Amino acid sequence: MSEVSVTKDAAAAPADALVVLHNVNKHFGALHVLQDVDLTIARGEVVVVIGPSGSGKSTLCRTINRLETTDSGSISIDGKPLPQEGKELARLRADVGMVFQSFNLFAHKTVLENVTLGQIKVRKTDRKQAEQKARALLDRVGVGAQAEKYPAQLSGGQQQRVAIARALAMDPKVMLFDEPTSALDPEMINEVLEVMQQLARDGMTMVVVTHEMGFARSAANRVVFMADGRIVEEARPDQFFSNPRSDRAKDFLSKILHH
Amino acid sequence: MNVLSDNFAMFREGFLGTVELTALSALLALVLGTLIAAFRVSPVPALRVFGTAWVTLLRNTPLVLLFLVATLGLPALGLKGWDSFWLAVMALGCYTSAFVCEAIRSGINTVPVGQAEAARSIGMTFSQTLGQIVLPQATRTAIPPIGSLMIALAKNTAIASGFNVTELGSVQKTLNADAGYDIYVIFAWIAVCYIIITFAISGLFRLLENRLAVAR
Ligand SMILES: Nc1ncnc2c1ncn2[C@@H]1O[C@H](COP(=O)(O)OP(=O)(O)OP(=O)(O)O)[C@@H](O)[C@H]1O
Ligand SMILES: [Mg+2]
């Protein structure tokens, strides 16, 4: 187990930084939701972000593809700073996959269309090729048989796996997950986590906001603990869970581990 | 002594005038209304201001006043040579576009924001997100109120008769002036003509509603 971690860590050398946040600040009115956030994510690294409700985890995720603007600091993806707006930004966003808590599938499109739309409209892939790739991805996440259905006809777990396929169809450099299993019934959580585990094993760079400790322990290279808009602690998962350093983390873990 | 058979050509011309005026104004109102709705939700502040101003101005101005502006104001500003039919289309189309815009915008508000965010997150631009994801779903909710707006528009075309346009209203005025016909019979036939038009519009929109409901 520790050997695996070591090799993973070696792959995650800072020399190959994919996502770099430097001194990022963000306010919602008077509320300072991100405070001097510095975070570097290496290519192939899996980072789990945890922390109490309202600590800014979602906001952090959303700033990485600029669904939220920032007030100061810089964010760059694969060496390129995030553009302000317009086509340039759209192009960069296509390289950053995002999976939402509430799936957010396009309700008026079939499952297949959900996965082909971005390829056709953004990547300008031709329809046939896009459909081929979409079917392969849907098979990979285990919902190939549902391709012609509409999102409302699927279970939550199936919808979330379609949402993962939709993001993967863009060949993203990094995938962001914001509590991907929190809206799911318990029996559906595992089917989604398994897809994510597989993705991590395949070397995808991932930022995952989750309270699934099992996933954090088995798939993450690093746990980032946030509280009150700050990154309070960063550590390898085994270290973080068995021996948290900060009082905030200890307090938080004692609460969630009792549940 | 039958008003209709005696004056069939006039009725037909008036009926077609109203249909044409309604159809062209509706087209203008739908195109403009959609465009202005897009302005009102766009990320560009200047467009949002323009959209808000457009709606506020046109929705709060009496239609007759718009007709006066179109027929007297525009020529005074040097825009001459437009015939009264096209000026009427402009006045009716612009006026109705403000209401269409608001109907579409309320439809847009029923589409979950998350879907638009998901579209942006896969790299779709604002106009792609609007055209592919938001508007198709917004239209579904907006169709019934837009149907009502189109019926109101058909009836509003009667105002054009005061501005030298041949349509049902002008037929009625001409016949009323031509003594010898029972005024109530004239009204009844004119009403029948409007009912045909408004029923056709209702039918069309019910069809649209059903088609869109099935496509899901
Ligand atoms: N659009 C917004 N406008 C104003 N305040 C916001 C907005 N979005 C988030 N906030 C506030 O910013 C803070 C951080 O929110 P965020 O959603 O990032 O927290 P979180 O860590 O993801 O919490 P949770 O675990 O509940 O999802 C919270 O106090 C929240 O109320
Ligand atoms: Mg959150």
Side-chain angles (χ1 to χ4, degrees):
Chain A
M1 184 67 215
S2 67
E3 259 177 33
V4 175
S5 299
V6 170
T7 46
K8 273 183 179 175
D9 280 354
D16 200 11
L18 184 59
V19 180
V20 180
L21 285 82
H22 182 60
N23 223 356
V24 170
N25 281 280
K26 163 87 186 167
H27 292 80
F28 280 122
L31 198 65
H32 200 168
V33 268
L34 293 180
Q35 306 189 28
D36 302 319
V37 171
D38 281 306
L39 182 65
T40 302
I41 294 150
R43 205 178 298 275
E45 196 183 12
V46 176
V47 173
V48 160
V49 180
I50 68 172
S53 180
S55 56
K57 307 179 297 291
S58 297
T59 310
L60 177 76
C61 245
R62 293 162 58 85
T63 55
I64 295 177
N65 67 358
R66 215 174 156 74
L67 283 178
E68 297 289 354
T69 57
T70 54
D71 300 331
S72 67
S74 67
I75 300 176
S76 61
I77 311 275
D78 210 2
K80 283 184 236 116
L82 275 186
Q84 291 292 309
E85 260 307 325
K87 290 227 157 64
E88 198 75 10
L89 176 63
R91 203 167 307 139
L92 206 131
R93 271 195 188 127
D95 291 339
V96 181
M98 176 125 190
V99 174
F100 302 84
Q101 183 174 351
S102 47
F103 330 135
N104 295 344
L105 292 178
F106 309 135
H108 62 309
K109 303 251 180 219
T110 64
V111 164
L112 187 69
E113 287 166 342
N114 264 273
V115 186
T116 55
L117 190 68
Q119 299 182 67
I120 294 168
K121 297 291 167 190
V122 179
R123 298 290 193 213
K124 313 290 180 201
T125 315
D126 72 56
R127 181 172 302 274
K128 232 189 177 148
Q129 237 175 312
E131 286 185 358
Q132 219 166 20
K133 183 171 178 181
R135 288 190 193 278
L137 282 168
L138 289 171
D139 283 338
R140 183 168 152 197
V141 300
V143 286
Q146 322 292 332
E148 321 304 331
K149 290 192 181 161
Y150 284 91
Q153 297 170 292
L154 268 54
S155 74
Q158 290 173 325
Q159 288 190 52
Q160 192 60 298
R161 286 181 284 152
V162 173
I164 294 173
R166 174 176 67 182
L168 289 176
M170 308 306 293
D171 294 320
K173 292 174 176 164
V174 51
M175 288 277 285
L176 312 173
F177 295 82
D178 188 5
E179 305 208 28
T181 56
S182 312
L184 297 177
D185 292 336
E187 72 269 23
M188 293 170 189
I189 290 178
N190 275 335
E191 62 190 44
V192 171
L193 289 180
E194 268 160 33
V195 168
M196 292 168 60
Q197 301 261 19
Q198 187 57 50
L199 212 52
R201 278 196 292 272
D202 293 345
M204 175 61 76
T205 310
M206 296 163 68
V207 177
V208 186
V209 178
T210 186
H211 290 160
E212 293 295 331
M213 299 306 145
F215 176 82
R217 280 177 194 277
S218 62
N221 303 102
R222 181 158 48 127
V223 171
V224 167
F225 175 73
M226 284 187 79
D228 300 328
R230 287 180 189 281
I231 293 180
V232 176
E233 189 167 339
E234 292 183 61
R236 288 216 327 247
D238 48 340
Q239 287 171 345
F240 179 78
F241 290 115
S242 58
N243 192 16
R245 281 161 297 164
S246 63
D247 291 339
R248 290 299 302 264
K250 280 178 197 157
D251 186 43
F252 176 74
L253 284 175
S254 74
K255 275 177 193 146
I256 61 163
L257 294 181
H258 281 158
H259 282 242
Chain B
M1 275 311 276
N2 186 319
V3 197
L4 188 62
S5 52
D6 289 358
N7 302 284
F8 191 75
M10 194 196 283
F11 263 99
R12 198 186 57 187
E13 204 185 336
F15 181 79
L16 291 179
T18 295
V19 169
E20 224 176 314
L21 195 54
T22 306
L24 290 168
S25 313
L27 192 68
L28 181 64
L30 292 173
V31 171
L32 267 182
T34 310
L35 189 70
I36 302 291
F39 281 8
R40 292 204 71 176
V41 297
S42 97
V44 183
L47 292 182
R48 285 202 302 270
V49 170
F50 179 84
T52 311
W54 180 273
V55 169
T56 310
L57 198 71
L58 287 162
R59 202 164 55 154
N60 296 312
T61 309
L63 183 54
V64 184
L65 210 64
L66 283 181
F67 266 95
L68 283 172
V69 170
T71 52
L72 303 174
L74 291 185
L77 286 171
L79 264 169
K80 295 195 173 82
W82 286 61
D83 76 21
S84 46
F85 177 81
W86 287 106
L87 289 174
V89 168
M90 287 241 292
L92 284 162
C94 291
Y95 175 77
T96 312
S97 77
F99 296 89
V100 170
C101 165
E102 291 306 274
I104 291 179
R105 211 163 58 97
S106 68
I108 288 176
N109 288 336
T110 64
V111 182
V113 197
Q115 286 187 42
E117 287 185 343
R120 284 157 68 203
S121 81
I122 56 172
M124 288 170 71
T125 59
F126 170 76
S127 44
Q128 286 176 328
T129 302
L130 200 64
Q132 297 289 323
I133 306 302
V134 180
L135 282 181
Q137 296 183 71
T139 315
R140 214 172 273 161
T141 355
I143 286 287
I146 289 177
S148 305
L149 289 174
M150 294 303 117
I151 288 170
L153 168 64
K155 294 185 291 184
N156 283 340
T157 56
I159 293 180
S161 67
F163 297 84
N164 211 14
V165 177
T166 307
E167 43 72 71
L168 287 168
S170 64
V171 172
Q172 177 227 322
K173 277 183 197 163
T174 316
L175 291 176
N176 281 353
D178 184 356
Y181 291 120
D182 185 344
I183 195 165
Y184 294 108
V185 177
I186 299 173
F187 275 135
W189 281 119
I190 298 285
V192 167
C193 289
Y194 275 112
I195 286 171
I196 292 171
I197 294 171
T198 51
F199 267 43
I201 296 174
S202 317
L204 182 70
F205 274 81
R206 199 161 321 123
L207 209 72
L208 273 177
E209 215 178 308
N210 292 340
R211 281 277 302 270
L212 287 174
V214 170
R216 174 162 183 192

